[in-house]
Amino acid sequence: MTAEIAIINRSAVTLATDSAVTLTVRSAEKIYNAADKLFELSDVDPIGIMIYNNLDFMGVDLEVAIKEFRRKVATVSYASVFEAAEAFFHYLTSDASTAPDDEMQREHIRVLLHPLLREINTVVVQAMRREFHGKYELVDFSALWTDTLQSLISDLEAIEPSGCFEGVSDTDLLNTYSDVIDEEIKRNFGHASLDDSHRDLLRRACGLALHRDEYSDSSTGIVFAGFGAGELSPSLVAYQVDGVISNRLKRKQIERVVTNRKEVTGEIIPFAQRDMVDRFLYGIDPMFERGIEQYLKMQMETVGIALVDSLPRTSRETKEALNQNVGAAVALALRIWRQRMMPAVKAEFVREVQDMIFLMPKQELAELAKELVNLTSVKRKFSSGKESVGGPIDVAVISRTDGFVWVQRKHYFEPNLNPGYFHRKYGSAHA
């Protein structure tokens, strides 16, 4: 994982990222602190791009893809950041060097389905253990399989289809990749005694998982920010991308900010690991917020049930009805807490920071972005768990007048020992 920050106001946008990357080889994980995740997207327009989570696109290093895109469109200008993002996605899926062929797409399907089927296997095994525990009569394992799979399918059906699959149904995907799906089912459930109805349900679940707007752990986050040729104020657009399926790039827009002269705009936008930034912005950790809600729910239900039980001369039917009313009242109170009270409190807390960001000069924007990434890095370093945020912090400020400017940037080599690199790249022997 990683920690990345974008801070935007009406005059500039700052991008900052750590350098940690987690590599998994044969189930063993290794964390390195030297990955590049922040790049200049265009030589014409001041636009930057950040990537996180999976730094690979269908077997192509995204750093290479970004720099090749920049080279191939060296003289092309884009009216907006959004237009530049669309051009980059078109390049990924159409250029001969990056577009995945059918076999690569089929291999990608295998990568996506393996964790899904493994999770299904785990859920079924746990359900079997619960049913079998403490029972001496026979358990209907076939019915258990059916109920578990149908429940999963119902959950998947409730999710909206991915926008990239307009005109393509989950059945179409199931038919296109039926052999791959059957191979993965056999690989994950070859030991199980499945009948044809169970295999059909597994196939249905696989088709839905590919088709729905759900994204795998191997998806990539991509952030575009800066100024298009027609933009006097900066804009930002971010996507989650999960490879190419049936020649469609599976992606969804997760963030879009467009500044203008009419509105007071100042925003801090965290990506990937955002818990420490949320604490800074809202004054509360998301996990702590969920803990408070769970505690309130438990206490209100306990008090309500105790009051109902203490009522004298009340029939059991009346008490059951009152307990149902207690449950409805608790649900309503929590919904008000979640949808009205907490957003209002957090909005008031964050307003002080956003008001200052609106007026903040470029150097201070860069310093704030750097410190927010560093805050997450320090938390990961001195707490239990993997140190998944760390290494040097890269920071760039993008403005209309100065363009894309590196404020802090690491090199894997000593710049003073490599004047030829800067001469080849910039026509100068100096860093």
Side-chain angles (χ1 to χ4, degrees), residues 29-179:
E29 291 188 347
K30 178 71 175 180
I31 297 175
Y32 291 97
N33 289 319
D36 290 321
K37 309 174 190 175
L38 174 57
F39 309 94
E40 192 171 2
L41 185 66
S42 170
D43 289 330
V44 179
D45 302 307
I47 300 174
I49 179 172
M50 286 194 307
I51 55 178
Y52 60 92
N53 197 26
N54 187 359
L55 308 186
D56 176 278
F57 174 77
M58 308 287 288
V60 176
D61 189 321
L62 273 172
E63 177 182 356
V64 175
I66 290 166
K67 293 179 178 179
E68 278 296 294
F69 170 79
R70 188 172 67 205
R71 181 182 66 82
K72 291 183 177 182
V73 299
T75 60
V76 178
S77 180
Y78 300 102
S80 66
V81 170
F82 179 78
E83 185 179 306
E86 291 298 309
F88 179 69
F89 288 137
H90 178 72
Y91 165 78
L92 286 181
T93 56
S94 63
D95 190 88
S97 62
T98 55
D101 58 24
D102 289 342
E103 186 52 41
M104 289 180 181
Q105 293 182 47
R106 295 166 74 82
E107 183 59 34
H108 181 59
I109 297 298
R110 293 185 179 94
V111 172
L112 294 179
L113 292 181
H114 181 69
L116 169 71
L117 294 172
R118 187 173 56 192
E119 181 181 354
I120 292 174
N121 196 4
T122 300
V123 170
V124 171
V125 169
Q126 290 174 345
M128 287 180 176
R129 288 174 177 169
R130 285 195 302 269
E131 287 294 315
F132 191 74
H133 182 70
K135 295 182 179 179
Y136 297 98
E137 66 272 14
L138 292 176
V139 176
D140 189 346
F141 291 120
S142 179
L144 191 147
W145 266 98
T146 300
D147 292 345
T148 303
L149 293 173
Q150 287 181 337
S151 175
L152 171 65
I153 288 171
S154 297
D155 291 341
L156 289 170
E157 287 176 335
I159 301 171
E160 288 291 322
S162 175
C164 72
F165 292 127
E166 185 176 355
V168 178
S169 69
D170 56 276
T171 303
D172 293 332
L173 294 182
L174 177 57
N175 293 333
T176 301
Y177 298 107
S178 59
D179 56 336

Side-chain angles (χ1 to χ4, degrees), residues 3-17 37-39 46-50 223-227 233-237 257 259 265-271 277 357-373 393-400 402-408:
E4 296 185 350
I5 298 292
I7 305 180
I8 189 169
N9 63 16
R10 208 158 55 186
S11 62
V13 57
T14 296
L15 304 175
T17 176
K37 309 174 190 175
L38 174 57
F39 309 94
I47 300 174
I49 179 172
M50 286 194 307
V223 183
F224 303 86
F227 298 76
S233 297
S235 58
L236 176 148
V237 61
V257 179
T259 61
T265 305
E267 289 194 40
I268 297 175
I269 309 166
F271 298 97
V277 180
I357 292 170
F358 169 67
L359 302 170
M360 202 172 280
K362 293 188 285 289
Q363 181 58 41
E364 297 301 325
L365 288 175
E367 187 65 25
L368 176 57
K370 173 187 172 183
E371 291 304 326
L372 288 175
V373 173
I393 298 173
D394 291 335
V395 185
V397 174
I398 308 169
S399 65
R400 177 83 268 176
D402 299 331
F404 185 103
V405 176
W406 287 105
V407 177
Q408 185 168 303

Side-chain angles (χ1 to χ4, degrees), residues 22 28 65 97 193 195 285 348 353 387 417:
T22 303
S97 62
S193 299
D195 57 34
D285 181 270
E348 186 65 29
V353 178
E387 197 173 332
L417 299 178

Side-chain angles (χ1 to χ4, degrees), residues 365-390:
L365 288 175
E367 187 65 25
L368 176 57
K370 173 187 172 183
E371 291 304 326
L372 288 175
V373 173
N374 188 54
L375 188 64
T376 307
S377 177
V378 170
K379 174 65 163 56
R380 294 292 177 271
K381 183 175 182 178
F382 295 104
S383 61
S384 61
K386 297 174 184 176
E387 197 173 332
S388 54
V389 177

Side-chain angles (χ1 to χ4, degrees), residues 303-316:
V303 171
I305 292 171
L307 287 173
V308 171
D309 288 343
S310 67
L311 293 175
R313 297 186 298 277
T314 306
S315 67
R316 189 166 75 176

